[in-house]
Amino acid sequence: MKILAVLPFRLKSARVPEKIFHKINGTELCLRTLEQTLKTNANNLEVIAAVDDEKTAKVLSKLLPANNVILTDPEIPSGTDRVYTAAKLYSAANNIPFQSLQGVVNVQGDMPFLSPSAFELFLTHVITWNPNEDKILTPYESWPSDMDEKDLGNVKIACDQNERALYFSRYPIPCSREHSKNALKLHVGIYAYTPTALEKFCKSPVSDLEKLEGLEQLRALNHGIPIHCVKVECKPNESFRGIDTPGDLDWAEAFAKKDKA
């Protein structure tokens, strides 16, 4: 059964307007992320883009067939809702029952150095799961030694002994009394959903915790949808770090040049 990887792109992002067209070492951020995703070697993987304007659609059509670039309403409230809408539109256009998909994977469109091999390893968990269950899967990395654990832009996960998420926060969790970063897990902006879980999530009301933390995944936990976590590791020239601030753009430019050195 097909796994659908959907990259949502929003032109007018709040913190860095039109960041998807910012060039990193000469290549647009959106094209870098899409190119890295397309390098993934996984059976039955189909990559599509969910966009909210014609300009973005035209740029992404350099790498994707026109039918794999799905135009969605700019007023859709979240990236997950945009992924759900695009997946439903793609399924209908290709006569694929939405519920027959093995999984729908939300790959945030601002990860220009995404690791194809680590993403492929992540997808092996999707290939083997029961697609008829309510289930979400997301990756995490060990906390980078050069990253500030107090930075609210970097999301942390606390898991149980079976690697199931207990909570997500922008604050350091679990809080180490020894002030050690070793206990922290850095959340990676990728989610795999079974079709039933994605539909249930998008039809559920926003939770109070989601509003407080500004984290969509807390809606799933609030409504009893389990989120399973899997550790991923990148090569030295790869990273799952997303671009959310002007400072992240500076980091990305330096990282790209280091890769070419």
Side-chain angles (χ1 to χ4, degrees):
M1 292 188 288
K2 189 181 293 293
I3 298 173
L4 199 61
V6 188
L7 283 70
F9 293 99
R10 183 168 178 261
L11 181 62
K12 297 181 180 179
S13 56
R15 284 178 284 186
V16 187
E18 299 198 18
K19 69 178 179 181
I20 59 174
F21 292 128
H22 185 93
K23 289 189 176 181
I24 299 172
N25 204 22
T27 303
E28 290 90 342
L29 169 60
C30 58
L31 286 179
R32 275 185 169 269
T33 305
L34 178 56
E35 185 176 39
Q36 290 299 103
T37 307
L38 289 170
K39 290 178 182 178
T40 304
N41 183 24
N43 292 332
N44 298 319
L45 178 67
E46 187 76 15
V47 178
I48 70 172
V51 305
D52 64 357
D53 75 294
E54 295 286 357
K55 178 183 176 182
T56 308
K58 184 177 180 180
V59 170
L60 296 178
S61 293
K62 296 176 183 178
L63 296 179
L64 284 176
N67 291 341
N68 284 33
V69 181
I70 312 296
L71 193 62
T72 58
D73 187 343
E75 300 304 317
I76 288 176
S78 74
T80 307
D81 290 305
R82 196 174 305 283
V83 165
Y84 175 60
T85 299
K88 295 278 281 190
L89 289 171
Y90 176 86
S91 298
N94 290 276
N95 296 314
I96 302 170
F98 176 71
Q99 293 294 340
S100 74
L101 294 171
Q102 179 68 17
V104 180
V105 186
N106 178 352
V107 181
Q108 292 185 13
D110 61 359
M111 293 189 288
F113 308 105
L114 178 148
S115 169
S117 58
F119 184 44
E120 181 181 341
L121 179 62
F122 172 77
L123 291 175
T124 61
H125 297 270
V126 180
I127 292 169
T128 57
W129 73 13
N130 182 350
N132 298 314
E133 296 178 352
D134 283 344
K135 189 172 181 179
I136 302 173
L137 185 72
T138 195
Y140 70 86
E141 296 179 278
S142 298
W143 194 264
S145 59
D146 62 345
M147 185 172 284
D148 182 2
E149 71 272 22
K150 296 178 182 178
D151 184 343
L152 301 187
N154 298 312
V155 179
K156 299 84 179 174
I157 311 175
C159 299
D160 67 14
Q161 62 182 359
N162 296 313
E163 292 283 76
R164 195 159 84 166
L166 295 170
Y167 194 69
F168 295 80
S169 182
R170 297 186 181 278
Y171 287 86
I173 57 168
C175 180
S176 169
R177 288 181 292 180
E178 287 77 30
H179 304 287
S180 171
K181 296 181 181 180
N182 294 337
L184 298 179
K185 295 179 173 66
L186 176 64
H187 181 233
V188 172
I190 295 173
Y191 301 89
Y193 300 83
T194 59
T196 56
L198 180 57
E199 194 157 70
K200 181 177 179 179
F201 177 90
C202 289
K203 291 183 178 181
S204 297
V206 174
S207 69
D208 290 339
L209 286 174
E210 177 184 355
K211 292 177 185 177
L212 287 168
E213 291 264 16
L215 297 174
E216 281 185 278
Q217 56 269 49
L218 293 175
R219 187 192 319 176
L221 296 183
N222 186 76
H223 292 288
I225 305 173
I227 302 179
H228 298 261
C229 304
V230 59
K231 186 177 182 180
V232 293
E233 295 181 355
C234 289
K235 298 174 183 176
N237 63 337
E238 298 172 338
S239 174
F240 283 109
R241 181 169 171 173
I243 306 302
D244 296 311
T245 67
D248 291 334
L249 287 172
D250 294 337
W251 167 84
E253 191 67 31
F255 192 86
K257 289 176 179 177
K258 181 184 71 173
D259 181 29
K260 297 294 183 183

